[in-house]
Amino acid sequence: MRLLVTSIVAFILLEAFALNVHAYKSYANHQLWRLHVKTNEQVAKILEFSRTAHRHDINFWSEEFRINVPIDVSVPPEAIDSFAEYLTSFTDKINYDVAMKDIGAVIDRQALLHKLVPSKVNDDDFAYDKYHTLADIQAWIDLMVKTYPTLASSFSVGQSYEKRDMKGLKISSSKQALKSDGTPVNQKKAVWWDGGIHAREWISPATVIYIAHALLSNYSKDATITHLVDQFDYYILPVFNVDGYSYTWTKDRLWRKTRSKTIIPLCYGADPNRNWDYKWCEGGASHDPCSDTYCGSKAFSEVETLQVSQFLNTHKDTIVHYINFHSYSQLWMSPWGYTTKPPDQFKLQDDGSAQAVDALGSVFGTQYTHGNIGATIYIASGNTVDWTFGTANIIYSYAIELRDTGEFGFVLPEDQIVPSGQETLAGELALLKYIETQVYA
Ligand SMILES: [Zn+2]
């Protein structure tokens, strides 16, 4: 009897421990700070600190640090005093504002709102103004195929590290693509969009879903969309980092990387936007498995980036335009990321960005900045679009940072999904019209 009681108590304790370990990570009273760095010395201090920040559960939402660009960083309650002390300990102290007083409260409020109006996929309905789980998004792909059978089909890029399907949606009409003089082109070109390469950037899958649905539902109704759907095939992967994205729904809303094991126990995943085999890990990326910009043990160490690269290689004769959707900062960027120096084709690429940003801004007045990654925000080697441009020769390769500019950052409220979709669609349609004139000349 005694043994039985002991066993039961041990079992209950184990269960309690397991529950605790597997609970959704709380961000109660975590604050988002905006640091104002004014000198190179201050930048160096922050850079040095960031290397061990994960030990204090301090998480940099900004990826790179430079003078006069605000640095967003989340700080847990237990580190608030010590981090404040650190920032003000230099003769040249670093000023900061508290941009969000309680990240956990924002997450909880959004989760509550989400539950009050449940998201659901049924035969003919999908809530385009809600964030969705991976299962719901994959069911949505099936719904699109069923609803628009002459235009939509599904494809798979392969299985993720945790064996989830990397499922995509292809949009393709039976019409021939035409040159501007009305004669048919020999080969229809293709476009690739992906969202959710960084798990916590929920607005990116939501925006990709919105614009994909806009193409399907407006085909044969809207002249511009009908034309652009006839001119290109579209390969759309709404969630690139399927394991990380699932993890943000079940364990940690602010997870960024993949979920592969590393050589360091308790440090998981690589940054899938630093893992590509083009100038891999030469700058703006880390060899530390605990870092949020860990480049992986080698280029394409992550099965997700490897498989997308293989898919793109297989289709590189047709794909002329690639978009890697991220958030946040409102930027429309082209290569290179590994250097501040723009490529020879920069003008060709950036002229497209300028058109996109103009059209996007004309919808709600949302301001985007455009330029090459290295000069516009930061050096990021081994990033996706450096490879799609540098290796796969997809000239019109872009990395887009969607809404906002830091008011909510990664926890953008659901009421911004549709506006983000509408303005991004306008920007992308303008860019497609520009690309069409370049590739079918
Ligand atoms: Zn990102």
Side-chain angles (χ1 to χ4, degrees):
M1 186 64 188
R2 197 188 166 119
L3 187 67
L4 184 65
V5 170
T6 314
S7 310
I8 290 170
V9 168
F11 179 75
I12 290 169
L13 280 173
L14 263 175
E15 279 295 289
F17 180 70
L19 276 175
N20 191 33
V21 165
H22 294 112
Y24 204 53
K25 177 169 174 167
S26 167
Y27 284 94
N29 300 312
H30 285 230
Q31 297 185 344
L32 185 67
W33 289 10
R34 179 155 274 206
L35 317 184
H36 304 285
V37 287
K38 303 273 181 245
T39 65
N40 280 324
E41 291 71 33
Q42 291 180 333
V43 170
K45 292 278 183 209
I46 294 298
L47 188 63
E48 186 191 331
F49 178 82
S50 72
R51 296 203 176 101
T52 53
H54 63 272
R55 290 183 202 156
H56 314 282
D57 203 18
I58 289 175
N59 192 288
F60 282 85
W61 287 21
S62 301
E63 292 177 31
E64 187 77 359
F65 319 127
R66 57 170 68 181
I67 295 173
N68 294 329
V69 177
I71 298 171
D72 293 347
V73 56
S74 75
V75 187
E78 57 276 13
I80 284 172
D81 290 344
S82 54
F83 191 46
E85 204 172 296
Y86 176 78
L87 293 175
T88 52
S89 64
F90 322 115
T91 24
D92 190 15
K93 68 173 189 177
I94 298 171
N95 293 319
Y96 66 93
D97 310 311
V98 178
M100 222 183 286
K101 277 202 171 117
D102 186 351
I103 298 168
V106 175
I107 293 174
D108 290 350
R109 205 178 313 128
Q110 291 182 3
L112 181 68
L113 277 173
H114 189 90
K115 281 191 189 111
L116 290 174
V117 190
S119 62
K120 193 172 178 302
V121 181
N122 57 39
D123 281 357
D124 52 6
D125 195 21
F126 181 83
Y128 290 92
D129 58 351
K130 308 283 284 182
Y131 294 120
H132 293 273
T133 62
L134 181 69
D136 276 1
I137 292 172
Q138 298 196 333
W140 168 81
I141 293 175
D142 295 337
L143 175 66
M144 291 302 100
V145 174
K146 197 177 134 199
T147 313
Y148 304 100
T150 58
L151 291 176
S153 58
S154 67
F155 66 94
S156 175
V157 174
Q159 301 239 303
S160 68
Y161 181 81
E162 291 177 334
K163 304 288 176 234
R164 290 182 179 85
D165 191 17
M166 294 173 70
K167 186 172 180 168
L169 171 70
K170 183 182 178 186
I171 300 176
S172 176
S173 86
S174 56
K175 296 271 178 63
Q176 274 188 295
L178 304 175
K179 293 181 189 171
S180 54
D181 65 5
T183 58
V185 303
N186 292 333
Q187 187 186 41
K188 192 185 275 195
K189 299 297 184 187
V191 170
W192 172 285
W193 302 328
D194 61 59
I197 190 168
H198 287 144
R200 62 195 177 187
E201 299 166 5
W202 282 10
I203 190 60
S204 81
T207 300
V208 168
I209 287 167
Y210 182 92
I211 59 179
H213 177 250
L215 295 196
L216 290 168
S217 59
N218 290 298
Y219 185 76
S220 80
K221 291 177 191 155
D222 175 286
T224 302
I225 286 179
T226 307
H227 173 73
L228 290 170
V229 170
D230 288 337
Q231 289 291 81
F232 298 103
D233 288 338
Y234 296 80
Y235 295 98
I236 301 156
L237 183 64
V239 183
F240 187 124
N241 178 7
V242 287
D243 295 347
Y245 187 73
S246 299
Y247 195 77
T248 62
W249 278 87
T250 55
K251 305 285 163 52
D252 181 352
R253 173 65 184 84
L254 295 172
W255 186 256
R256 166 185 166 92
K257 300 190 284 180
T258 60
R259 289 297 303 164
S260 57
K261 277 203 171 109
T262 69
I263 51 161
I264 308 282
L266 299 178
C267 289
Y268 289 87
D271 182 343
N273 199 33
R274 298 290 187 282
N275 189 237
W276 295 69
D277 193 9
Y278 191 85
K279 310 279 181 187
W280 174 76
C281 222
E282 290 186 7
S286 171
H287 283 289
D288 176 359
C290 303
S291 164
D292 254 352
T293 52
Y294 176 47
C295 57
S297 56
K298 59 180 186 197
F300 292 141
S301 60
E302 304 313 283
V303 68
E304 296 84 4
T305 54
L306 177 67
Q307 288 174 163
V308 171
S309 76
Q310 288 167 342
F311 187 95
L312 295 171
N313 256 331
T314 311
H315 295 82
K316 70 176 178 185
D317 293 340
T318 56
I319 298 179
V320 292
H321 174 35
Y322 182 104
I323 303 184
N324 197 224
F325 282 96
H326 295 257
S327 75
Y328 57 97
S329 290
Q330 296 175 192
L331 304 166
W332 202 292
M333 298 179 294
S334 52
W336 301 113
Y338 80 90
T339 171
T340 53
K341 209 173 136 253
D344 293 343
Q345 295 91 331
F346 175 66
K347 192 176 177 326
L348 211 51
Q349 297 162 325
D350 193 56
D351 282 354
S353 297
Q355 301 216 12
V357 163
D358 276 356
L360 188 155
S362 71
V363 182
F364 299 113
T366 310
Q367 299 281 316
Y368 271 58
T369 303
H370 61 91
N372 48 325
I373 300 167
T376 309
I377 38 171
Y378 44 69
I379 297 294
S381 68
N383 78 81
T384 310
V385 298
D386 277 9
W387 186 92
T388 62
F389 173 52
T391 301
N393 298 314
I394 301 171
I395 291 182
Y396 302 98
S397 287
Y398 298 90
I400 297 174
E401 298 280 357
L402 296 167
R403 289 187 182 201
D404 53 13
T405 53
E407 187 188 356
F408 290 99
F410 302 124
V411 292
L412 194 74
E414 286 184 320
D415 62 10
Q416 294 202 39
I417 296 173
V418 170
S420 167
Q422 289 168 329
E423 66 192 11
T424 309
L425 174 68
E428 174 61 356
L429 293 179
L431 179 54
L432 286 166
K433 281 194 256 179
Y434 166 79
I435 294 173
E436 169 193 35
T437 62
Q438 301 295 328
V439 301
Y440 293 141

